[in-house]
Structures are given as structure tokens and as C-alpha cells.
């Protein structure tokens, strides 16, 4: 079963491809053509043979210099089988689309990053028929952003920084500047980024710090009902408003990921007033394969 941090790292790229390409240019310092338009493509590379091959995220990028593909893989640990798979992915995609594929590996592990960055060479020694050079984003090259002004200048990079460093105690240093930076962006984007960041925080202290920061700024409660009851100071209404906002956040995550949400399931989520259940659903919504998977036990 894939972990939520695995899903969070690459799915963030789907939600803000422009922010992701800016991050590639800034961190890797490579001349990636300036994008004009993006499209998230089907990540299933399975052919007629019964062998499933699926990349994590596949983005088509349109630029003044032409079309290219970003093949994004989230890697939690070393897996030597992946090296031949990555070579296959690039060859298959180039043959299928005729566009230049670029392999990007995302990881929270410094040792995995060093392993993934090694060139993949297929063929005879000294005469390689195919060479693949993965581009890797990991804790050793993604900057640790702890300055609030810098965080506000690039909210995506700051969120991605917190996610990349999420396995270690250094992640906690990014969270306060990130929380302040999220207040400068729109509510929906802030809520989504906050959810992805939480999914990648492995350090217990960092997770607790993040939850406290998010509770303080009410990211999940900013909507008309919640604002009204806060002004009136009615505790009962406040709790109802918070529950409704959390329910809406669950549905927004599913909608933003492009998952079809049946009307019955949508009504079921909106009717829920259990704060713990809603928070659990929000976590699951980040990496559910289908909207129905989220509430399988409840509506099945």
C-alpha cells in the first residue's frame, strides 16, 4: 500500500505544475523551457501484455520551444527494479507521443536521492545503447526555507520544502514561515497545500506543530457559515460551522484531484458532524484511488 507521503509529493505537482517547474528551475538550475500550458495525462503505461506499468504523475508541458513530458516518480526507498522501469517509461512515452520525456524523482531520503541520481546505463561497457540521467529533488538540494519573507515569495517551493524535509526534525523549522505564507494566498489553495504538507510530515513533533498552526489560522474553517458563528460567539454554531467546513474540505480535495464524487457520497460527507471522522476522511482523500474508496465501509 502506498503511503500518504508518497502520494502527497507527486500529487502536489499535478495541482500546481507551474510552481513545480519553477522549483525545478530554481533547485536543479537546468534550462527547462518556460511553460505556456499544462495537461495531466493518463499515468497508465500498461500495454496489451498483462504487466502493469504506471508512473506516479505524467504532465504534458507546452512551451515556446515545443511540447515535452515531465515524468514524475515519488520514491520512498531504493528499488533496483525501478531503474529498468524508468528506462522503459521514457522509451515508451517517446515512442507513443514523440515528445521529449524528462524523468524527475522526488524523495524525502538523502540516501535514496543519491541512489536515484546515478545514471542508468544499458548495453555493453564502454558502448551504452541507452543512458538515463534522472533529475532528483531531495533533502540535499531542496532548500530549507525558514525565512518568512522568502516563504511568502514562493509559497509552492516553501510547501514543497516542508514536504521534502518532512521525515526529519528540520521540517519543524519551515512550518511557522509556511503558515504565515499560506495566509497570503487564497483559502482553497492554502487548505490544499496544508493538507499535502501534513501528509508528508513523519516527525511527530513537526506534525503536532503543524496541526496547532493550522488550528490557529482556521484554514479549514474559512467559509461564510463559520465566519458568521465566530462573530456571534455561539459555541454550538461554531462547532457546526467547523464540521461543515471540514466536510467541504474533504470534497474539495476529491474534486481537485479530479475524482468523480457520487451525489450520495457527497451528501453523506456533508451530513457528518464528527470532527475526528472528517479529519480522517480528509487524510484519506489525499491518496484515495477513487472517491468511493474513501467511505467504502460507511456507505458500502
Amino acid at each position: 500500500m502506498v503511503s500518504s507521503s508518497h502520494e502527497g509529493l507527486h500529487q502536489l505537482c499535478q495541482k500546481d505544475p507551474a510552481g513545480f517547474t519553477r522549483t525545478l528551475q530554481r533547485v536543479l538550475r537546468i534550462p527547462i523551457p518556460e511553460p505556456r500550458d499544462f495537461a495531466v495525462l493518463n499515468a497508465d503505461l500498461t500495454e496489451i501484455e498483462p504487466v502493469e506499468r504506471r508512473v506516479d504523475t505524467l504532465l504534458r508541458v507546452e512551451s515556446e520551444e515545443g511540447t515535452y513530458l515531465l515524468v514524475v516518480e515519488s520514491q520512498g526507498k531504493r528499488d533496483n527494479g525501478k531503474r529498468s522501469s524508468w528506462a522503459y517509461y521514457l522509451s515508451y512515452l517517446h515512442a507513443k507521443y514523440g515528445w521529449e520525456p524528462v524523468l524527475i524523482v522526488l524523495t524525502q531520503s538523502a540516501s535514496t536521492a543519491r541512489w536515484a541520481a546515478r545514471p542508468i546505463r544499458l548495453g555493453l561497457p564502454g558502448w551504452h545503447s541507452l543512458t538515463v540521467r534522472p533529475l532528483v529533488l531531495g533533502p540535499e538540494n531542496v532548500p530549507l526555507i525558514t525565512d518568512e519573507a522568502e516563504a511568502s515569495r514562493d509559497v509552492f517551493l516553501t510547501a514543497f520544502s516542508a514536504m521534502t524535509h518532512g521525515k526529519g526534525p528540520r521540517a519543524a523549522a519551515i512550518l511557522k514561515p509556511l503558515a504565515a505564507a499560506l495566509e497570503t494566498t487564497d483559502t482553497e489553495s492554502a487548505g490544499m497545500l496544508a493538507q499535502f504538507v501534513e501528509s508528508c510530515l513523519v516527525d511527530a513533533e513537526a506534525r503536532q506543530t503543524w496541526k496547532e498552526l493550522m488550528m490557529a489560522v482556521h484554514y479549514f474553517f474559512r467559509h461564510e457559515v463559520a465566519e458568521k458563528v465566530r462573530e456571534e460567539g455561539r459555541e454550538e454554531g461554531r462547532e457546526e460551522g467547523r464540521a461543515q467546513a471540514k466536510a467541504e474540505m474533504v470534497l474539495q480535495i476529491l474534486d481537485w484531484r479530479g475524482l468523480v464524487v457520487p451525489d450520495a457520497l457527497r451528501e453523506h460527507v456533508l451530513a457528518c458532524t464528527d470532527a475526528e471522522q472528517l479529519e480522517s476522511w480528509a487524510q484519506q482523500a489525499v491518496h484515495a484511488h477513487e472517491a468511493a474508496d474513501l467511505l467504502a465501509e460507511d456507505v458500502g
Side-chain angles (χ1 to χ4, degrees):
M1 180 177 180
V2 295
S3 65
S4 58
S5 61
H6 173 279
E7 294 295 321
L9 273 173
H10 75 85
Q11 287 182 10
L12 179 65
C13 307
Q14 298 179 22
K15 307 313 168 191
D16 189 353
F20 180 53
T21 53
R22 287 198 310 271
T23 297
L24 292 176
Q25 292 168 339
R26 176 171 175 179
V27 176
L28 299 176
R29 302 184 185 280
I30 56 176
I32 292 183
E34 193 67 28
R36 291 183 307 181
D37 190 26
F38 298 92
V40 179
L41 303 181
N42 188 341
D44 191 344
L45 308 185
T46 306
E47 299 185 80
I48 296 176
E49 293 82 358
V51 177
E52 182 177 351
R53 300 183 187 273
R54 184 182 299 272
V55 298
D56 288 331
T57 288
L58 181 60
L59 297 173
R60 185 193 71 209
V61 184
E62 303 286 352
S63 75
E64 293 291 344
E65 301 175 32
T67 301
Y68 60 97
L69 297 171
L70 291 180
V71 185
V72 185
E73 284 281 280
S74 180
Q75 195 68 26
K77 59 183 180 181
R78 299 186 182 198
D79 180 357
N80 289 326
K82 274 288 188 179
R83 295 176 67 78
S84 59
S85 294
W86 289 341
Y88 168 84
Y89 295 164
L90 300 185
S91 299
Y92 174 84
L93 289 168
H94 188 269
K96 179 176 181 179
Y97 293 107
W99 299 325
E100 297 301 328
V102 182
L103 174 62
I104 312 293
V105 180
L106 312 178
T107 182
Q108 294 178 297
S109 165
S111 62
T112 300
R114 290 190 291 271
W115 163 81
R118 297 203 315 261
I120 302 166
R121 296 187 175 94
L122 304 182
L124 298 174
W127 192 267
H128 301 112
S129 300
L130 176 65
T131 300
V132 176
R133 297 180 62 87
L135 297 172
V136 182
L137 293 178
E140 292 185 330
N141 62 354
V142 174
L144 192 76
I145 299 176
T146 58
D147 179 73
E148 188 172 315
E150 184 180 2
S152 297
R153 285 194 293 270
D154 195 332
V155 179
F156 178 95
L157 178 59
T158 306
F160 187 77
S161 175
M163 294 166 68
T164 304
H165 293 276
K167 274 194 172 182
R170 300 177 71 196
I174 311 175
L175 301 182
K176 189 173 181 180
L178 174 57
L182 287 178
E183 291 191 83
T184 67
T185 190
D186 66 276
T187 301
E188 182 177 350
S189 295
M192 295 301 153
L193 286 172
Q195 194 72 38
F196 280 120
V197 168
E198 184 173 348
S199 74
C200 289
L201 294 176
V202 177
D203 180 71
E205 180 183 350
R207 287 183 68 87
Q208 183 58 36
T209 298
W210 188 239
K211 287 185 178 181
E212 292 172 358
L213 287 169
M214 292 300 96
M215 288 293 289
V217 296
H218 303 291
Y219 275 121
F220 299 110
F221 315 141
R222 286 184 181 174
H223 60 91
E224 294 179 1
V225 174
E227 293 296 339
K228 180 178 179 180
V229 298
R230 275 198 292 273
E231 291 173 4
E232 295 175 350
R234 293 167 50 195
E235 186 62 30
E236 180 180 355
R238 180 182 292 110
E239 292 302 321
E240 291 177 358
R242 289 178 176 179
Q244 182 176 343
K246 283 189 176 183
E248 290 174 355
M249 179 58 66
V250 172
L251 297 175
Q252 285 174 358
I253 293 171
L254 294 172
D255 289 339
W256 198 15
R257 291 188 56 211
L259 301 180
V260 177
V261 183
D263 290 342
L265 189 151
R266 189 177 296 273
E267 292 173 4
H268 185 77
V269 172
L270 290 173
C272 181
T273 58
D274 185 332
E276 291 186 3
Q277 178 64 78
L278 289 167
E279 184 167 340
S280 174
W281 286 343
Q283 290 285 335
Q284 295 175 51
V286 174
H287 52 82
H289 295 295
E290 298 179 3
D293 295 343
L294 187 68
L295 306 177
E297 296 181 1
D298 301 87
V299 299

